[in-house]
Structure formats: C-alpha cells, structure tokens
C-alpha cells in the first residue's frame, strides 16, 4: 500500500515555509523565510499558530535546544533567536556584522552551535545568551548545516569549499574534502550507524562520512534532483528532500533509495521526523507536507564509490 501525503497550509501566501523541527512540546515548529515569522503546528490539529518577528527578519533553520525552547537563525538581521514554549521570543545579535547565520544545532556541551555563512565562522551560544565565534581558515567557504556528531564534535558542511568540517569542543579543526568536484554539500545529519550523512546539491548524490574520514557517495536516480536537506529516520535510515524534482527520498545504510513524489514546483527544503512517526517536510510553496508511515515505494539500489 502506498504511503499517503497530506498538505497543511501555513502562514500567508508567499510566506515560504523553509525549515521544520519537532519540538519538545509535541508540536512541529517551522520558519517562514519570506514571511518574517515562526510557526507552530500540532499534528492532528488543522491550523498552525504564527509568531510574527520583525519585518526585516529572515528566519532560516530552527532546532530544539537543551532548555526546552526552540532556537533559530535569522540571516536577515544577523542574529540567533530563542522561542519559548509560550511564544516569547528573545533575540541575540551576533558580534560579527553581516554574518548571515544559517545552520544551528544543540551541541554536546549544553550550548547551541551555528554557522555564519558570510563570515566563515562557527558560532556558539549558551542558553544564557553568551556568544563565542571560531573563525575558519577557508575564505568564502559558506558553512551551512551543522550537527553534533557521534564523537562529541560539531560537524558542518562547507558548501563552497566542497568539504565537510569538524570542530572539536577544544577548538581543534579538521576539514575533509569531498571526492566529487563541485558537489556543494548542504544538508547534514548524524546517522544511526555512527556516520555523518550529507546531501550533495551540485552532484545529485548522498554522501556518508565516518568520523575517521572515510567517504562514500551514493548517486541518486536523477543527477539533477538537487538534494537539499537530510534528517535521520526512525529505523536507521535517512530522509532527504530533492528540491529540483520535488521529491522526498529515503536512503538506507546499504544505499537503497526510495522516492516519493511531492506536488510539482513545491520546492521542498527542511524535514524532520514528527512526534506522530510521520516525516514532515517544509514546502516553500506554502505548506507542511506529511508522509504517513509506512508503505512501499519505488526503490533503486545504488553502489557507493569509496574514497
């Protein structure tokens, strides 16, 4: 039986849902990148709650923090924000002007870590609002998504440097170049197999990197699909979005790929495993899409190339 996909309109037309995260309150929290707002949707309820921000805001990625709040990056106003469960928003401007923060994730040290795409820096913000910044040695590297790895370090994609970076809590930095030229990694997630999984938007591939530096790349059925975001699933699998072809994909640790069609032109970006066991995706066309579990789909086993 095929898995059904439902859509839930959120925000005003053109507001552009971009990232979505499962909050500790059992709700889905999302950013409205063109609508200068955050949103909250409880699975099973028909309507979302919208939390307006300043009109110049460009909220990007949102993630649950260790303090029970949701933390987000605002590239338009160059700040990191905190949204409490009651909707109260606190904002923390970054020390570096024009930093354009993008990715954000909870670290193993009880703080939030984020990327500064325009400043070639990795930032750290404590739940008390104290900010530290760590410059990267690569210029115009465009650090993008960041996650806590299985080794206690922070890992991040370097979109324009065609590499994956690792920053230890003591400040030690390592850079892992990718085998495929101009792969342009964007999304990154920690897999249940102890590896880091990432999307190669420029190469139409999913990558896997072990903490010791071994890289595997899995070619997707359509090389022009432009995979964007990636997130861990419930059974050790990884889910990802294909921006150009409007599909939601699933890849297992052995490289088997499933794909699910989304509405044409819907521009899927961020995704998460929801509290209801479904996969939720932010469609920039104006909705959150819900893929109900479980069911068969088109499969395509692929062979990795190891470097």
């Amino acid at each position: 039986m095929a898995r059904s996909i439902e859509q839930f309109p959120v925000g005003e037309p053109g507001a552009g849902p971009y990232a979505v995260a499962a909050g500790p309150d059992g709700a889905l929290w999302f950013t409205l990148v063109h609508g200068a707002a955050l949103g909250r949707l409880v699975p099973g309820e028909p309507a979302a709650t919208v939390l307006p921000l300043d009109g110049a805001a460009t909220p990007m990625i949102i993630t649950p923090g260790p303090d029970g709040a949701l933390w987000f990056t605002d590239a338009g106003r160059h700040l990191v924000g905190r949204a409490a469960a009651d909707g109260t928003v606190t904002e923390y401007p970054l020390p570096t002007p024009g930093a354009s923060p993008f990715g954000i994730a909870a670290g193993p040290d009880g703080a939030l870590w984020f990327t500064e795409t325009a400043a070639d820096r990795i930032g750290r913000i404590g739940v008390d609002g104290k900010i530290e910044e760590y410059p990267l040695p690569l210029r115009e590297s465009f650090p993008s998504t960041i996650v806590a790895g299985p080794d206690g370090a922070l890992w991040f994609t370097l979109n324009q440097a065609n590499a994956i970076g690792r920053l230890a809590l003591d400040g030690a930095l390592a850079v892992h170049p990718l085998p495929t030229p101009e792969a342009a990694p964007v999304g990154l997630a920690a897999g249940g197999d102890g590896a880091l999984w990432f999307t190669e938007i420029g190469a139409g591939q999913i990558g896997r990197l072990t903490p010791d530096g071994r890289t595997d790349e899995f070619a997707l059925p359509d090389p022009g699909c432009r995979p964007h975001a990636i997130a861990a699933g419930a059974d050790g699998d990884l889910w990802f979005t294909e921006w150009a072809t409007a599909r939601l994909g699933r890849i297992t640790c052995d490289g088997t790929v499933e794909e699910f069609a989304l509405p044409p032109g819907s521009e899927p970006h961020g995704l998460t495993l929801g509290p209801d066991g479904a996969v939720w995706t932010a469609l920039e066309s104006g909705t959150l899409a819900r893929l109900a579990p479980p069911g068969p789909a088109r499969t395509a086993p692929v062979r990795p190339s190891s470097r």
Side-chain angles (χ1 to χ4, degrees):
M1 183 177 68
R3 298 172 72 164
S4 63
I5 294 179
E6 300 175 272
Q7 291 189 75
F8 299 84
V10 293
E12 296 296 325
Y18 187 81
V20 60
D25 56 351
L28 294 158
W29 290 74
F30 54 93
T31 58
L32 293 167
V33 67
H34 304 305
L38 306 178
R40 180 181 180 273
L41 176 68
V42 177
E45 296 185 2
T49 300
V50 174
L51 305 175
L53 303 171
D54 181 272
T58 309
M60 303 301 296
I61 305 299
I62 189 166
T63 193
D67 57 348
L70 281 296
W71 291 74
F72 63 95
T73 52
D74 183 340
R77 294 181 296 158
H78 312 291
L79 59 80
V80 170
R82 178 187 183 274
D86 63 2
T88 302
V89 175
T90 307
E91 297 172 341
Y92 303 94
L94 301 185
T96 300
S100 296
F102 181 76
I104 188 168
D109 57 346
L112 285 300
W113 292 75
F114 56 93
T115 59
E116 299 181 10
T117 59
D120 294 301
R121 295 170 183 259
I122 301 299
R124 178 189 183 275
I125 182 169
V127 294
D128 60 357
K130 180 181 178 181
I131 296 173
E132 300 173 84
E133 294 175 307
Y134 298 84
L136 300 174
L138 304 174
R139 305 308 304 162
E140 299 182 356
S141 60
F142 207 83
S144 301
T145 306
I146 188 168
V147 299
D151 57 349
L154 283 304
W155 293 76
F156 48 93
T157 50
L158 293 166
N159 177 261
Q160 293 301 298
N162 205 49
I164 306 295
R166 177 188 184 275
L167 181 66
L169 295 182
D170 63 2
L173 177 70
V175 175
H176 299 273
L178 298 184
T180 300
E182 300 181 0
V186 179
L188 182 68
D193 60 346
L196 287 303
W197 290 75
F198 54 93
T199 59
E200 298 183 359
I201 197 170
Q205 300 183 144
I206 301 297
R208 177 183 183 272
L209 176 67
T210 60
D212 63 2
R214 174 189 168 92
T215 303
D216 296 324
E217 294 175 311
F218 301 86
L220 297 174
D222 185 340
C225 66
R226 296 187 71 77
H228 185 269
I230 190 167
D235 301 315
D237 49 5
L238 285 298
W239 290 86
F240 57 93
T241 51
E242 298 180 5
W243 178 81
T245 51
R247 289 195 293 253
L248 178 63
R250 172 182 176 268
I251 185 168
T252 63
C253 291
D254 66 359
T256 299
V257 173
E258 295 180 286
E259 293 180 327
F260 302 84
L262 296 168
S266 57
E267 299 186 46
H269 291 296
L271 74 168
T272 192
L273 186 68
D276 55 353
V279 178
W280 289 79
T281 309
L283 306 183
E284 199 168 339
S285 57
T287 67
L288 295 185
R290 177 185 184 272
L291 176 69
R298 173 164 77 89
T299 62
V302 293
R303 295 183 178 180
S305 58
S306 300
R307 304 296 200 282

